[in-house]
Amino acid sequence: MSPQQHTFPAALECRYLLQAPHNVAANPLIVLALHGYGSNPEAMLRLTTDLLGEEHVVASLQAPNQHYGNLGLPNAESVPAYNWGIRPHWDSAVRLHHDMVRQALADLRRQFDVGPERCLLIGFSQPVGLNYRFVGTHPGEVAGIIGICGGVPRDWEEDKYQPVPAAVLHISRDQDEFYPLDVVSTFADRLRRRASDVEFHLLPGPHRFPSKAGEIVRPWMERVFSGSKGFTALKL
């Protein structure tokens, strides 16, 4: 006799770290950053502020699944790490990601009295594809999305996704051990199937957060969020 699987919802305590300037400007830019597999919100907050500068409001969302980053049995020196899900439970991982991102964005918009046209979603590695799924499912939530060293969803061409009014900046590495160059070379055209504003960059190096990408990211942010007029016109 095969066992029966039963599922049920349960409350989950979610967490993000928030860093804001001492004097927050009127109508600030809100950045929601998602860390990679096995990392943590502290590391992503540091990387994001180094990349974008400290003049923005940055929230670093913690992935829902916990584990220890070290090998072997946990001990007093074990470092906590987090991930966004695994393949056998991917559908539920996608739903949970969407719920967490929507609630975090809503909370940040309430705190700082801004609209979606002042919201930027950024992810490194594992959550990049999840973030693309998010903007294809909820296209009015953010005006910009940055994907770093991650992939485009396998089902991106399916009709379940909507047109994406958000501007997209995707940064890949030419020696990424998880995303071969022949796969990476298709990302720009695939993203343009849903988004009309796509900027793609291929940087030298392995699967690492690009410390010198600020010279790419900051001019893109200035273009996209200067007045936010493009997103306002396209917002669904």
Side-chain angles (χ1 to χ4, degrees), residues 88-128:
H89 307 287
W90 196 240
D91 288 344
S92 62
V94 170
R95 289 193 298 269
L96 180 56
H97 167 274
H98 287 13
D99 288 345
M100 291 175 64
V101 170
R102 288 194 81 183
Q103 291 188 54
L105 286 170
D107 188 46
L108 292 164
R109 288 197 291 260
R110 281 193 299 268
Q111 287 186 62
F112 296 97
D113 192 26
V114 299
E117 72 278 359
R118 297 297 296 168
C119 292
L120 168 64
L121 181 62
I122 179 171
F124 170 72
S125 193
Q126 189 189 25
V128 170

Side-chain angles (χ1 to χ4, degrees), residues 5-38:
Q5 177 173 270
H6 295 261
T7 63
F8 60 91
L12 174 69
E13 184 178 77
C14 300
R15 168 178 176 255
Y16 64 79
L17 296 181
L18 181 64
Q19 182 169 300
H22 291 299
N23 297 309
V24 178
N27 200 32
L29 178 63
I30 304 297
V31 181
L32 183 61
L34 278 63
H35 63 78
Y37 185 96

Side-chain angles (χ1 to χ4, degrees), residues 25-118:
N27 200 32
L29 178 63
I30 304 297
V31 181
L32 183 61
L34 278 63
H35 63 78
Y37 185 96
S39 187
N40 56 66
E42 290 82 3
M44 190 63 182
L45 183 64
R46 175 180 54 79
L47 291 168
T48 303
T49 53
D50 287 348
L51 180 70
L52 307 183
E54 298 184 352
E55 63 270 27
H56 309 297
V57 175
V58 179
S60 184
L61 186 62
Q62 180 177 291
N65 304 300
Q66 312 168 25
H67 62 280
Y68 286 113
N70 60 300
L71 298 175
L73 294 175
N75 54 52
E77 284 73 44
S78 296
V79 177
Y82 306 89
N83 71 82
W84 299 94
I86 59 175
R87 187 171 298 173
H89 307 287
W90 196 240
D91 288 344
S92 62
V94 170
R95 289 193 298 269
L96 180 56
H97 167 274
H98 287 13
D99 288 345
M100 291 175 64
V101 170
R102 288 194 81 183
Q103 291 188 54
L105 286 170
D107 188 46
L108 292 164
R109 288 197 291 260
R110 281 193 299 268
Q111 287 186 62
F112 296 97
D113 192 26
V114 299
E117 72 278 359
R118 297 297 296 168

Side-chain angles (χ1 to χ4, degrees), residues 75 114 131 135 138 157 219 227 230:
N75 54 52
V114 299
N131 287 350
V135 296
H138 305 286
E157 285 76 18

